[in-house]
Amino acid sequence: MHNDIIITSQSPWMALAIMIPLLAAVLSFIGGRRTGPLFTLAAMVGVLVSVSWIAVQVWTQGPQSEAVGGWAAPLGRELYADGLSVLMLLMTAIVGSFITGYALQYFAHCEASLTSLSFREPSDVSKEQAIEAVPSLPHAVLSSEHSIVPVQEEKQHIEREGIQKNHKLVHNSHLFWPLWLLLWSGLNALFLSSDLFNLYIILTLIILAAVSLISLKGRAIALQASMRYLLVALFATSIYLLGLALLYGAVGTLDIKSLALELEANPTTLIAIVLIVIGLLIKTALFPFHFWLPATYAAASAPVSALLSALVLKGTFYILLRLGFEVFPIEWFPTLGQLLGLLGAIAILWGSWQAWQQEHLNRLIAYSIIAQVGYFFLLFPLASNMIDAPPWGLMAWKGGILLALSHALAISAMFMASGNLLLRLGTDRLDHLRGLGQRYPITFLTLAIAGMSIIGLPPSGGFLGNWLLLNAAYESGQWWWAGIIVIGIFLAIAYIGKIFTPVFDKPIAQSVVFEKTPVLLPLSMTWLPLLLAFIALVLGLVATSPLTLLEIGSPFTEI
Amino acid sequence: MTKVVFYSLVAVGLFTIGFYTLLVEAHLLRKIMALNIMFTSLFLLLIAIAARYPQAIDPLPHAFVLIGILIAVSATALALTLARRIYQETGQTDLSEKQETGIS
């Protein structure tokens, strides 16, 4: 952003990328129960077109800025796009489109299985009574051998409960669309914004939409999770705003470009920056501030967990990248970078360890996110030495961002696959997955491919990201970060492997006759996550163009 | 300048009180009130900063406060709604987990 020539764009595509979903959100909210999917699909097309247009413009002409309503920077709010923001916008558009498609089928399926359940009710009751009358001898034998597998009646109970628990979600499902569109609009605005106070407004918009999305499930556990998330997030943004107020008092502007030129290192700005960083770290769930994440993500419904983990987390990470490399005074940066890297390293170890200990699939994925967020932050110490601009700076910068991108693809695929299992089985306990590998081959294949990217096996995007970070660590002589990355990879193999240990176990007669709703999952619900996981897998092969895109307007290019 | 410093210190004090209450109190209504105290303290700080030059008032922080009030109102509304729904579902006014563990 520093010395590049920024082209002032005359066409309103950036504003459109924000306004289209916002308008569609309002319309679908007014439009009633059935119009949500329609407006979402229309907005999806609009966003895809405008984001691709911005991408082409940035690709061919370099960083762009757009003055909203003709008001330029000091007074007005400018939108700004460079390679990093374009990649983030594209990530949001791609993952968002997949989740939109998945959510369409997800809610339809929940509704269908609920209807089928209410038809089935009487016969089920009689069957249950019959089972109760006969002493369940074979079950008792089996359960003594594998005490963790529940007996048949219990399974039916779990499964029925699982479907009934969704009835509030079905009731609320029409609200998913306006909220998701609001969230989408907020994310696009976040990636295009170049003003810190604007970012505060946008962060709050994202929080309000995300909290409402989590609470859609309507059950006590989801409501409590969303309340906890709301409290933590509002606390985080108020710390951020406190930092902004101090910064404004010291410098007199909150525009990122002006701040980059005018910010001086003195005690007031130091306090302001520390507050801003802490506020953003809480929202990004880096190690000591990760406490809110697992319960929140495990309690939300599958499309919502996918959205939150893939996109919302990356939003604050993006702000940290922008501030860290473009605004903060360069003389503090090595210290700040090492600190963030240290927290990231602890996050990798702690998150992986916690993930490995989980008994539930959703919670395992949620803890793995904490570990993965740690990886992104290794970018900071490795790219921090910007004064003599070593070549590994750019390498680490690319590696960290590529990790974030492929994580978004892989983790949303994992949450969707896990959501499929939860819908079919009514449980996501890992030991209940015993021997189900043959029953749900595509879903487990999705988990495996996405897991490969999370671990960082070639040719996935995760592999290339890790590789770039390792190289940067090696060339900069900071070998300890390389050690952390390698340990993290082994820990990831352990916890991803834990999902599959029971799956390919010998199937137990009991679990094969697992009774499910007569309504089968629609094909697209299993194929969409698989496709997404597959994109994460091949990202490592096609990463040249995104990586070149990252150089456009990056803090390393002008040197 | 002393006036500005005084109000800024009051704002920081209020923020600390809000923060402390948010951490210590379990009752959701009190947590929401604590957040509102924190928001208000930030508005006070911004207003104080707006008056940092003796010759003229800086209008931009006033605009921030106006937007901040909007945000605080809508966030509070959502928080209150959620608190009410939690009370309806569980009969509790705090976030302690007494039921529904295990299957999510």
Side-chain angles (χ1 to χ4, degrees), chain A residues 282-353:
Chain A
I282 297 176
K283 276 288 285 135
T284 324
L286 186 64
F287 167 66
F289 310 113
H290 65 280
F291 51 88
W292 55 270
L293 186 141
T296 311
Y297 285 17
S301 57
V304 174
S305 313
L307 282 176
L308 293 183
S309 58
L311 305 176
V312 176
L313 270 190
K314 308 298 181 299
T316 36
F317 177 64
Y318 167 85
I319 304 179
L320 276 168
L321 277 181
R322 275 255 180 274
L323 292 180
F325 286 95
E326 288 168 12
V327 173
F328 293 168
I330 225 161
E331 55 264 41
W332 292 339
F333 201 75
T335 329
L336 187 71
Q338 293 291 330
L339 259 176
L340 288 177
L342 183 68
L343 293 180
I346 302 173
I348 293 176
L349 302 177
W350 169 258
S352 307
W353 173 246

Side-chain angles (χ1 to χ4, degrees), chain A residues 168 197 200-201 204 211 218-221 223 226-228 230-231 235 238 242 245 248-249 254 298 360 426, chain B residues 19 31 35 38 42 45 49 52 58 60-61 64 67 71 79 82 85-86 89-90 95-97 100 102-104:
Chain A
K168 278 179 188 143
F197 191 76
Y200 168 71
I201 303 169
T204 322
V211 165
R219 287 165 45 214
I221 198 165
L223 290 172
S226 56
M227 187 74 197
R228 199 169 292 125
L230 179 64
L231 291 174
F235 171 64
S238 58
L242 180 60
Y248 186 83
L254 291 176
H360 295 265
Chain B
F19 180 35
K31 277 190 191 292
L35 271 175
M38 287 167 76
L42 292 174
L45 181 63
I49 284 170
R52 69 194 182 287
D58 182 357
L60 209 52
F64 293 165
I67 297 169
I71 289 174
L82 270 179
R85 288 284 294 119
I86 288 173
E89 284 289 319
T90 65
L95 286 175
S96 58
E97 282 170 52
E100 276 209 295
I103 306 154
S104 60

